[in-house]
Amino acid sequence: MAMTEKSCCIKPTEDCSNFPEIIELNVGGQVYITRYPTLISIPGSRLWEMFSVKNPCSLIQDNKGRFFIDRDGFLFRYVLDYMRDLQVVLPDHFPEWGRLRREAEYFKLPELAKMLAVKMNKFNSVGNDSCQFDLEELSPRIDTTFNFSSTNSIHVSGSDNPMILTTTTGSELKKAGFITIGYRGSYTLSRDSQTDAKFRRVARIMVCGKISLAKEVFGDTLNESRDPDRPPERYTSRYYLKFNFLEQAFDKLADAGFHMVACNSTGTCTVTHDQTDDRIWTSYTEYVFYRDT
């Protein structure tokens, strides 16, 4: 990506001392559009320094005139949310607390960084089970209140910048979407139609769908080793479950408000035993589940 120190979005005859009302940002390759007052809403923050102290001509811009910031483009959405209204809503089973805290420290948002320093040891996305927090890293000057009604919320009031950090768990805030459960199996079938098929146990249950939905439903039973570090709003077809009971997967989906809308199965004959005439079939089965808002 070509970078330039000169402004591409400001006309040569235009005064470089002023920023436009609408700002376009390129953060690590992700494009954001926001208002200028949002970026300078917290005095002392890095964004406030960039867009109030400096002038447009002094900032790096990409080849389309967008102001470039070399940080994590996916996590910046939460930083920008905090800049808008001092409130951050994180998805269920948010996996990147440490990385988001590092972004908060980089952008000089101390109150957000302090709250992200709270380590969540256990988080149940279904129901109103409370979370376990390590509060040792919180500033003694901060008043904290925990409210676990329909959402798990951490309310922080400081002398300068009060904020609310919320992790959604209430059913009214659950997102709609699809989750597909798939598995491969094999069974032996005799030519004698009166003989029952001999099934082998399910070796692995695959999970396909949006990352955030899969983590909400299956939590710690979801094996992410084959597709780690993907953003919550992206999709995957490489996750699988740490257990191999379909009914257990169905129970978790039902508890999360999903219902099955489609299923499909295929079978292929792979081997024939010469002595017994038994045929070994392999199959692949998928179940599609959906949850409405």
Side-chain angles (χ1 to χ4, degrees), residues 84-210:
R84 290 186 177 114
D85 53 13
L86 299 180
Q87 179 173 329
V88 177
V89 179
L90 301 177
D92 294 333
H93 302 288
F94 183 69
E96 297 181 296
W97 291 83
R99 295 179 64 180
L100 183 55
R101 178 192 176 189
R102 184 174 60 189
E103 296 302 301
E105 292 173 346
Y106 173 81
F107 286 104
K108 297 183 180 181
L109 301 172
E111 298 302 326
L112 178 60
K114 289 175 184 177
M115 288 313 305
L116 293 170
V118 178
K119 300 176 181 179
M120 300 182 67
N121 298 321
K122 183 179 180 182
F123 186 85
N124 186 351
S125 63
V126 180
N128 296 323
D129 294 341
S130 62
C131 303
Q132 299 175 3
F133 295 92
D134 181 5
L135 300 178
E136 296 177 355
E137 299 184 22
L138 286 179
S139 170
R141 294 175 298 174
I142 298 177
D143 298 326
T144 60
T145 304
F146 297 86
N147 179 11
F148 298 103
S149 54
S150 60
T151 61
N152 285 336
S153 304
I154 304 174
H155 300 271
V156 182
S157 57
S159 58
D160 297 325
N161 296 319
M163 65 161 292
I164 300 175
L165 173 64
T166 305
T167 53
T168 61
T169 57
S171 58
E172 70 277 9
L173 297 178
K174 292 180 178 179
K175 296 181 180 179
F178 290 87
I179 290 181
T180 300
I181 299 296
Y183 72 92
R184 298 185 184 277
S186 63
Y187 55 93
T188 302
L189 185 64
S190 173
R191 289 186 177 182
D192 183 3
S193 60
Q194 301 300 320
T195 304
D196 293 335
K198 299 177 181 179
F199 289 92
R200 299 181 183 180
R201 70 182 182 88
V202 176
R204 180 173 290 178
I205 302 176
M206 309 298 296
V207 178
C208 308
K210 184 176 287 189

Side-chain angles (χ1 to χ4, degrees), residues 16 18 24 28 34 112 138 217:
C16 285
N18 297 321
E24 290 191 37
T34 187
L112 178 60
L138 286 179
V217 174

